[in-house]
Amino acid sequence: MKLFKVIATTMSLLLLGACQNTTPPQTTSQNRVKLGVLQLVEHPALDDIYKGIKDELQKQGIQATYDFYNAQGDQSNLMTMSEKVVSGKPDILVGITTPATLALRNQTTQIPIVMAGITYPVDAGLVDSESKPNGNVTGVSDRISIKKQLELMKQVLPNLKVVGVLYSLNEDNSVKQVEETKIAAQELGIELKLGGVVSQNDVQLTTETIAGQVDAIFVPIDNTIASAMSIVTQVTDSKQIAVFPSASTMVKDGGLMGYGIDQYEIGVKTAKMIISVLKGEKPENTPVQLMDDAKVYINLEKAKQLNITIPDNILKDAITQ
Ligand code: TRP
């Protein structure tokens, strides 16, 4: 009995020694999937997306550790943080926003990257095409029809002639959406006043300038404006101008209404793609997925404040908040 104990102890020590020389120590986290996540900035939409990812992975029984970085809207942070997160050798990378995913892709062409809610991944140069990405990036796009959004504005404001567009000149997603907005506006006989900002610092002044010249303001899926909604609505409320944003969270944050996507569901769909990539699907052959359930979101309190009556046919299918 005693001899057996000695042999067993010696063997386990030998084994431990062997492990230490060749492989890292066995910890429970070894069986977990390591995710490296980079988010551009904090705003409710992105926070919802990240939550959707984590909840869904947990629901599907994936044990994950998260190496999470938030760049606080700063380009140089994106560079240093993307380098850091990649050097941690995660199994998979997740980019929340276009600029964050671009920063990750600049660091690695090897580790698979799943993008979470990227509006125009082809135009941003993240994938060759949505049906065949070709590189190490695939994921979920939150792209929705801009024409439908402008049509909704016209239905609610029948006298609508001039629309202001607030967006960031530094976000590929927004620049492309504005190109689409120009096309749709021309088709619908709407005149545009573009209010491009370089950073959050010009949001107030740009909103003030635009608000004095337009009947209403359209905000595309833009991170800079999404994180400055309180600044925007402070100006627009004082001038009684309605803001029509492209995301549910921006409606809640003071917009009047918008045609958009449930942000949490973007995270859920992204998690499902993460799982298929972990199971061995190659991003290069995995088509980008679109969200197919856009809905109308309405801020009823804002409608009251602005004295705007929402037509019943729109109200009946809308999500009110
Ligand atoms: N689509 C944005 C991008 O490509 C990120 C994003 C997702 C977003 N949901 C949003 C931005 C809601 C503003 C509001 O970077």
Side-chain angles (χ1 to χ4, degrees), residues 98 102 115 117-127 130 140-147 149 171-181 220-221 288 290:
T98 301
L102 280 167
M115 47 190 187
I118 305 307
T119 315
Y120 283 106
V122 176
D123 297 84
L126 284 163
V127 293
E130 291 189 0
V140 178
S141 170
D142 58 357
R143 178 155 63 76
I144 35 175
S145 159
I146 303 254
K147 194 171 178 190
Q149 299 181 67
E171 291 182 37
D172 294 302
N173 43 300
S174 308
V175 172
K176 172 67 180 169
Q177 284 176 94
V178 171
E179 278 172 32
E180 295 289 318
T181 309
I221 310 173
V288 172
L290 284 176

Side-chain angles (χ1 to χ4, degrees), residues 13-134:
L13 279 174
L14 278 171
L15 260 174
L16 191 67
C19 282
Q20 272 168 352
N21 286 337
T22 53
T23 50
Q26 296 281 326
T27 62
T28 49
S29 68
Q30 260 221 333
N31 308 323
R32 290 171 181 254
V33 173
K34 183 170 175 183
L35 275 88
V37 186
L38 184 60
Q39 178 172 320
L40 170 68
V41 70
E42 222 164 288
H43 63 69
L46 305 184
D47 299 341
D48 275 7
I49 292 175
Y50 185 39
K51 187 166 189 309
I53 294 174
K54 287 193 294 189
D55 286 357
E56 183 64 19
L57 287 179
Q58 193 179 21
K59 200 171 131 195
Q60 300 291 335
I62 304 289
Q63 303 250 36
T65 56
Y66 295 89
D67 205 1
F68 176 82
Y69 290 87
N70 183 330
Q72 309 293 345
D74 183 304
Q75 190 62 39
S76 64
N77 280 348
L78 277 183
M79 276 170 65
T80 49
M81 288 177 176
S82 57
E83 203 179 328
K84 246 192 206 156
V85 76
V86 168
S87 69
K89 297 199 181 358
D91 300 301
I92 195 160
L93 288 159
V94 180
I96 306 183
T97 73
T98 301
T101 314
L102 280 167
L104 291 174
R105 211 277 323 271
N106 286 341
Q107 296 294 338
T108 178
T109 52
Q110 301 303 315
I111 304 175
I113 302 174
V114 177
M115 47 190 187
I118 305 307
T119 315
Y120 283 106
V122 176
D123 297 84
L126 284 163
V127 293
D128 280 357
S129 79
E130 291 189 0
S131 54
K132 178 116 183 32
N134 280 340

Side-chain angles (χ1 to χ4, degrees), residues 208-274:
E208 276 167 3
T209 312
I210 288 285
Q213 310 172 8
V214 300
D215 302 318
I217 289 179
F218 168 62
V219 179
I221 310 173
D222 181 288
N223 296 289
T224 310
I225 307 297
S227 20
M229 277 304 283
S230 61
I231 302 171
V232 171
T233 56
Q234 214 176 357
V235 177
T236 51
D237 283 354
S238 73
K239 298 193 194 271
Q240 292 279 299
I241 293 285
V243 178
F244 292 74
S246 291
S248 53
T249 46
M250 286 196 267
V251 172
K252 202 169 180 183
D253 283 349
L256 168 67
M257 64 191 293
Y259 180 67
I261 287 164
D262 184 322
Q263 301 296 311
Y264 183 86
E265 291 303 324
I266 297 176
V268 170
K269 202 170 193 126
T270 303
K272 290 182 175 149
M273 289 195 82
I274 291 173

